[in-house]
Amino acid sequence: EVQLQASGGGLVQAGGSLRLSCSASGFTFDDYAIGWFRRAPGKGREGVSCISSNDGMTYYADSVKDRFTISTDNAKNTVYLQMNVLKPEDTAVYYCAAVMSPSRIMYTNWYDPMEYDNWGQGTLVTVSS
């Protein structure tokens, strides 16, 4: 059974940093794509970033580019999202999700939640001004 566990959320002041972790189990952690999504209050789900083991590609939403970094530790079956220079508009529940066929993930669809097969529970990030 595929399981994803997101953690690392919390309350931080604007300009601060947080690192989210997505621990994965139940699948081979060398053939995957893991995406981070977020849902802000009153808004829809937004793709934040994605990393694919298929080609090593990483993808970012324009709103977080140059502030967030996605990375992976295959030995720990964990994907990280380092979030720097946080802004109040980054406040949201953050989710990680997995694609079991990473070859179908590309720059035109990595942000589409419908492409993802499995989802973890969210972790709340609150950025105060």
Side-chain angles (χ1 to χ4, degrees), residues 64-118:
V64 306
K65 201 171 294 183
D66 299 325
R67 297 189 298 123
F68 290 10
T69 302
I70 192 168
S71 63
T72 184
D73 184 337
N74 287 349
K76 296 183 178 179
N77 284 16
T78 300
V79 172
Y80 302 100
L81 185 68
Q82 178 67 43
M83 306 187 296
N84 297 328
V85 194
L86 282 161
K87 304 176 181 180
E89 51 263 43
D90 294 317
T91 294
V93 178
Y94 284 71
Y95 303 86
C96 60
V99 179
M100 297 297 110
S101 300
S103 60
R104 73 172 189 254
I105 291 296
M106 56 190 71
Y107 75 95
T108 54
N109 67 355
W110 69 266
Y111 47 81
D112 184 352
M114 298 300 294
E115 294 290 344
Y116 292 78
D117 305 305
N118 303 92

Side-chain angles (χ1 to χ4, degrees), residues 4-27:
L4 301 168
Q5 179 82 28
S7 61
L11 174 63
V12 64
Q13 288 188 330
S17 299
L18 281 174
R19 188 178 76 162
L20 304 184
S21 300
C22 176
S23 298
S25 62
F27 63 98

